[in-house]
Amino acid sequence: MRVGEVQYTLCARLLDQGAQGIILPRVEDPKVLAEALSWLRFPPLGIRGFGINPTMVDYEARTMPEIIEHQNRETLSVVQFETVRAVERADELLSLKGLTWSYRAGRPLHLLGFPASSTIPLLIQAWTRSSKGATLTA
């Protein structure tokens, strides 16, 4: 699920309702992304609150440690590249622990100020180094 803003309450609410991952839009700063990634994982990997419900475990009897381990392992965390600054800082953003994937979606970045010829090569270079990327277009 894509949140409208990078806020703890929006991410937590969706995860507590059963979302299997969060897309974090318009993140340009590695510190902001690192904090947001911590919201998506239970301790000790993050700071997510324990809003566990039966749908998260298919109504099966599970111990709390089993649920936490499963959720920490299976919850997707995705950063969406939407700005020039984010692309310029791609190496820093993609190197963060806890990030599952990244992508560029929606309008072409040249409409946001990138010269058309520089948009994709910068991302491809960063994604090649990190193996956390894909290019999706709407």
Side-chain angles (χ1 to χ4, degrees):
M1 300 288 302
R2 184 184 185 275
V3 293
E5 295 291 330
V6 179
Q7 296 177 2
Y8 175 80
T9 54
L10 297 176
C11 295
R13 183 179 304 140
L14 288 171
L15 291 171
D16 290 349
Q17 292 175 349
Q20 296 178 330
I22 299 293
I23 298 171
L24 302 162
R26 296 180 305 278
V27 179
E28 300 176 335
D29 185 333
K31 290 179 184 176
V32 171
L33 182 56
E35 180 180 12
L37 292 172
S38 77
W39 305 336
L40 311 183
R41 303 284 187 269
F42 293 110
L45 302 180
I47 62 168
R48 180 178 170 189
F50 292 94
I52 304 293
N53 69 58
T55 61
M56 293 177 170
V57 292
D58 294 326
Y59 295 92
E60 295 179 10
R62 298 285 181 198
T63 66
M64 189 58 79
E66 288 175 322
I67 294 169
I68 290 170
E69 190 277 327
H70 174 79
Q71 291 294 314
N72 280 346
R73 182 184 67 242
E74 298 297 327
T75 299
L76 294 174
S77 53
V78 180
V79 63
Q80 182 175 355
F81 286 90
E82 297 185 82
T83 66
V84 172
R85 184 158 171 79
V87 173
E88 291 171 347
R89 299 188 79 179
D91 283 325
E92 295 172 85
L93 294 166
L94 295 173
S95 70
L96 293 173
K97 187 175 174 79
L99 181 64
T100 309
W101 207 252
S102 68
Y103 76 102
R104 175 192 67 83
R107 32 183 203 274
L109 290 175
H110 71 273
L111 297 177
L112 300 173
F114 261 113
S117 62
S118 69
T119 304
I120 299 304
L122 286 173
L123 286 174
I124 290 174
Q125 290 169 11
W127 286 335
T128 300
R129 287 188 293 274
S130 75
S131 71
K132 291 181 184 175
T135 300
L136 306 175
T137 55

